[in-house]
Amino acid sequence: MPVYLSRTANFLLTEEQLKGLLKRYDINGDGRLSKKELQVAFRGLGLNFSGFRARRALQHADADNDGFITDEEMKELITYAAKWGFTVN
């Protein structure tokens, strides 16, 4: 499923490539993305209000409410991020 990063550039990424890009922000290497790691990732992707967006992303995509985005929750995070200008086809 292609993903367009229209906020930062006009190039096409697959969902797996975007997932890999987000995983690079797993600073402590625990396999999950924390609120702080999401904030840094969103800022790195050129999004404004990265702290607010990280908080909202966790509220939306963190199915087990543990405060982290796991591999299983990543698809929902990517779908949710599409609302911010990332087009997921």
Side-chain angles (χ1 to χ4, degrees):
M1 177 180 322
V3 177
Y4 294 95
L5 292 182
S6 60
R7 293 274 187 199
T8 58
N10 271 336
F11 59 91
L12 182 64
L13 292 177
T14 66
E15 186 175 321
E16 283 301 312
Q17 288 171 324
L18 181 56
K19 184 177 175 180
L21 180 65
L22 288 171
K23 283 184 169 190
R24 290 182 183 179
Y25 290 94
D26 178 14
I27 298 164
N28 63 3
D30 66 356
R32 309 175 301 172
L33 292 173
S34 67
K35 178 184 163 197
K36 182 65 177 173
E37 290 167 332
L38 283 172
Q39 183 177 357
V40 171
F42 294 156
R43 188 177 307 124
L45 291 171
L47 294 172
N48 294 324
F49 310 110
S50 58
F52 170 78
R53 291 177 193 269
R55 198 168 44 255
R56 295 288 296 168
L58 276 172
Q59 289 172 348
H60 187 81
D62 182 15
D64 59 7
N65 294 313
D66 66 351
F68 298 93
I69 300 296
T70 62
D71 272 347
E72 294 80 22
E73 297 163 331
M74 188 67 73
K75 182 171 177 62
E76 187 61 33
L77 172 65
I78 291 169
T79 300
Y80 185 67
K83 297 177 182 181
W84 304 331
F86 299 116
T87 306
V88 181
N89 293 333

